[in-house]
Structures are given as C-alpha cells and as structure tokens.
Amino acid sequence: MLTPRRIVMAARLGFVMASLGMAVLMLGPFQGLEQVFGLNDKTAHGVAFYGVTTGLFLIAPRQRRDDLALFVVAAAFAAELLQGLTGRSVSIVDFLAGSAGVLAAWAPGRIEQIRQTFRRSPDLTFGQMARADRRLRRRRMAVGRPGPSLVRTALD
C-alpha cells in the first residue's frame, strides 16, 4: 500500500543514487558532458542544485527548508572547491548558478508561507507571531499536548 512513509523511503534511495551520480559527473573527467543534453555549464549547475534541493525537501520532511537550502548552497560551494582539487576549473559563476537553482526551489515554498501567514494573521509582525507561539507552546506543554508550532509552519 502506498503511504507517505514509503514514498519518502523510496525517494531517499533515489536521492542517494542521484547524488552519487551527480558527484561523479561534477568531479570526474566529464567536463562538457552537459552539452550532450543541450545544456550549458551554468544551466546544468542550476538544474542539478534545484533537483538536490527539491529532493532534500522531499526526503527530510521534519527538517526546516531554510536549513536544507543553506546546506545545499554550502554543498554547491564545496563542489566548486573540490572541482579545483580534481584539476577542473573553479568558477564563482558556477557556484552562483547552483545557488540560483537552490533559490528557485526554495522561493515558492517561502512565498506560500507568507501567503498563508497573511491569511491567518495579516496585521501581526513576525515577532508578535513568535511571542504568541511561545505562549501557546508553553500552554500546550503544561497541559501535556504538544501541538504544531504556529511560527514553525509560518516561517519554515
């Protein structure tokens, strides 16, 4: 039977295999291979890191998207440094293209969170929502019912 847990588990396996393949392609002697698919180097970096970011969003549902996106930006930076160690060119523009891919995956979720926050509390500042959430969390913990965090869903 198909369940969210099984989808995430299958996606984790696919993510590991795709990440290993991407590492081999980025660090191996395959410079220029993206042209076979009709992509230039910058587009390939953007598409690859977009895929990594969306894959992480799927396989790590309990992690904050902001943290995952920052992790992928750091991975894009590390990939460029490692390319320099393997004799390939290091390019800040490639890093920026990878970061643009991360931004393209991250931004729609952030926009939807802002829209949701507006629908729920259009006149509260984010600080006011955080303070209200802390009070709500303390109250729930005192009763023994930890519930979903208002700020976590609004600002994740």
Side-chain angles (χ1 to χ4, degrees), residues 4 9 24 26 64 107 112 121 124 127 130 144 148:
M9 294 305 290
V24 168
M26 289 182 86
R64 291 177 28 150
E112 185 54 36
S121 310
L124 294 180

Side-chain angles (χ1 to χ4, degrees), residues 43-57:
T43 305
H45 276 265
V47 169
F49 285 101
Y50 174 88
V52 168
T53 306
T54 56
L56 274 178
F57 289 170

